[in-house]
Amino acid sequence: FRYFCKVAFFNCWIVTMATVLSPFVALRGRSVENMKVLRAVILPLKHFYGIKLQVQGSEHLNTEGPYVIVCNHQASLDLLGMVEVIPDRCVPIAKKELMYLGTVGWACWLTGIIFIDRHRREDAIDVISQTARTMRRENLRVLVYPEGTRNPDKPMLPFKRGAFHLAVQAQVPIFPIVISPYRDFYSSKDKKFTTGTCTIRVLPRVETQGLSPKDVPELTEMVRQTMVDAFAEMS
């Protein structure tokens, strides 16, 4: 019962805040700066759930200019980890279906979140190309979950290559972020949701300067293996 109550509160909080705040945020229009509002709304939830987030390596993100962040994806709780470390002028790439979730979708659009249609490859490639140009022009950082879907079990799923094509096209560095397993305090399978501690580790930057599309497969596997090794160590 406690599990269902906590999950319901999480969803209700997101929907309520999106409904209440979106009209005010809309006055400024669609802007990456609106991510600060989303972050401020979600940050307090860790205190309500009694989840302590320990961040390691945050200094790696203290760098000028655009870059791509790639992060493992376990559950909806990743949202708490995202707002804990997301830097200024950074937006996630999300599945297009999210845009049609009423006021939540509207709020996501207003924050500048980039939507991608995973089922239409040509459209996805076009979004990646447009985003690469925008990153350079507007000093934008982008966060991607390269597994493409939630994966509560280890090891990490094979990575989709979109994030790595994006970084190579824009010639910007990649920062891998690894969130430790939730299983000690959260499991949708076992309907467990208690207090606990989660570690978020920001790994050193991976350069893409001088790389070309033919280097993307090797780059993808190299970054994935680095993250898998860190995840195993944190487990």
Side-chain angles (χ1 to χ4, degrees), residues 69-72 144-149 158-161 163-164 227:
I69 295 173
V70 292
C71 183
N72 60 315
V144 185
Y145 296 103
E147 290 174 279
T149 188
F159 283 4
K160 298 183 183 304
R161 296 174 181 172
F164 304 93
M227 294 174 66

Side-chain angles (χ1 to χ4, degrees), residues 149-189:
T149 188
R150 297 175 189 175
N151 175 36
D153 303 312
K154 59 179 184 180
M156 293 181 197
L157 298 173
F159 283 4
K160 298 183 183 304
R161 296 174 181 172
F164 304 93
H165 277 291
L166 173 60
V168 168
Q169 283 190 38
Q171 291 288 281
V172 299
I174 297 169
F175 287 93
I177 293 181
V178 181
I179 302 176
S180 65
Y182 300 141
R183 57 177 173 266
D184 288 343
F185 61 92
Y186 175 85
S187 170
S188 58
K189 180 180 179 180

